[in-house]
Amino acid sequence: MADDGFARPEGAEGGEEADPRYIVPGLSRGLALLQLFSRQRPAQTLQELAAGLGITRSAAYRLAYTLEKDGFILRDAATRRYRLTAHVLTLGFDYLNSQPLTGLAAPALQQLSSLTSAATHLVVLDGWQVVYLARVAPPVALVSNLQIGTRLPCHITASGRALLATLDEAELRRIYAVLRRESRDVPPPSSFEALAEQAAEDRARGYVFRGSILDPGLMTFACVVRDGTGKAVGGVNVVGPAALLERFGGEEALRAAVLDAASSVSRQLGFQGG
């Protein structure tokens, strides 16, 4: 049970220790309730919501009632299950549109997609997950089903691995511990040492080129974008069928194209390195 009186949903991570004088418990509980909905569990009963938060059914009802009246969730009268509404998406898209990195990367992603005839994405690391902030895809089938807003465990994607490779040991250990707890469908490497060795290899190479775990037959090439301080703030990738990327020129041609796109964005962010 958390210090503020309710259990946090899976994947919710706290930052520095909070000052309880400034915490609004009802707001925290409402936000935690929204986080209980996921791709795996898009609809939930009141009892499931109460169990997920570790609170009573009556307390969960008050939260759900408030969020429903504010338009963030909707109860299906037939199934008695709650779902998120499109109103929640406005918060996410407002966030995405407020990120300067998204606007700066858009031309480079478009040019890279046109060059390779494959899908391109801008990805950032958020805790133990990567979030897809931008996407450009040609009007052809079998390029990528990854949409803006998609969240995936960082260790299963090329972009996530590229970003993990930039972290120091303490941060990598912290994320590994969360991955061990949260990423059950695709577990991380069996030991921290194995993850650290993989990160070191990715760091030395400067990019990650691998087959997709989620979409067999697709390949991904990814590298990082850096800001003026040299910090990795995101990743740029190309995703496409193996045959398509091989016709483009394979790993060598992708390395030149993707690194050039990432360097273009990095320079706009003030990065002066190579």
Side-chain angles (χ1 to χ4, degrees):
M1 191 72 69
D3 291 340
D4 47 11
F6 66 98
R8 301 188 190 282
E10 294 181 359
E13 299 179 58
E16 62 184 28
E17 186 175 349
D19 188 331
R21 295 175 300 171
Y22 305 114
I23 296 295
V24 181
L27 176 59
S28 293
R29 290 191 179 102
L31 293 173
L33 186 148
L34 293 177
Q35 293 179 68
L36 289 174
F37 295 95
S38 65
R39 182 181 302 179
Q40 292 74 30
R41 305 188 68 183
Q44 298 187 52
T45 65
L46 186 63
Q47 186 60 44
E48 289 170 333
L49 294 175
L53 293 177
I55 60 178
T56 65
R57 183 186 175 94
S58 61
Y61 175 77
R62 291 194 295 272
L63 291 173
Y65 182 86
T66 301
L67 290 169
E68 184 176 15
K69 293 306 177 184
D70 286 342
F72 289 102
I73 63 175
L74 181 66
R75 180 177 179 270
D76 187 314
T79 65
R80 298 185 178 181
R81 290 179 177 271
Y82 291 90
R83 290 180 175 271
L84 296 178
T85 70
H87 194 44
V88 175
L89 291 178
T90 63
L91 300 178
F93 283 116
D94 285 345
Y95 163 75
L96 295 178
N97 291 331
S98 71
Q99 302 307 299
L101 180 58
T102 306
L104 290 176
L109 293 179
Q110 183 63 65
Q111 183 176 8
L112 187 59
S113 179
S114 297
L115 180 65
T116 60
S117 299
T120 59
H121 305 87
L122 173 69
V123 179
V124 295
L125 187 64
D126 183 19
W128 61 282
Q129 298 175 315
V130 288
V131 184
Y132 288 73
L133 293 188
R135 176 180 188 264
V136 177
V140 295
L142 300 175
V143 288
S144 169
N145 290 322
L146 295 169
Q147 302 296 324
I148 294 175
T150 295
R151 285 178 171 269
L152 294 172
C154 56
H155 68 292
I156 73 172
T157 71
S159 298
R161 276 181 44 178
L163 288 164
L164 287 176
T166 69
L167 303 179
D168 60 29
E169 181 178 345
E171 184 66 9
L172 193 61
R173 281 188 181 278
R174 188 189 70 80
I175 290 180
Y176 179 72
V178 181
L179 285 172
R180 290 275 292 180
R181 183 176 72 245
E182 303 292 351
S183 186
R184 298 182 180 88
D185 293 335
V186 186
S190 58
S191 68
F192 170 75
E193 289 71 24
L195 180 67
E197 181 179 355
Q198 175 181 274
E201 293 173 353
D202 292 340
R203 187 182 312 116
R205 190 186 313 107
Y207 61 88
V208 176
F209 183 45
R210 60 169 297 174
S212 171
I213 293 177
L214 300 176
D215 297 297
L218 297 184
M219 300 288 292
T220 306
F221 190 108
C223 60
V224 301
V225 170
R226 298 182 182 274
D227 65 13
T229 68
K231 178 183 178 181
V233 294
V236 169
N237 72 30
V238 168
V239 181
L244 172 68
L245 298 185
E246 188 60 34
R247 286 197 300 272
F248 176 70
E251 185 172 351
E252 290 300 316
L254 287 167
R255 178 167 55 190
V258 181
L259 289 176
D260 182 65
S263 295
S264 174
V265 180
S266 297
R267 287 194 298 271
Q268 294 180 73
L269 292 171
F271 182 60
Q272 301 295 319

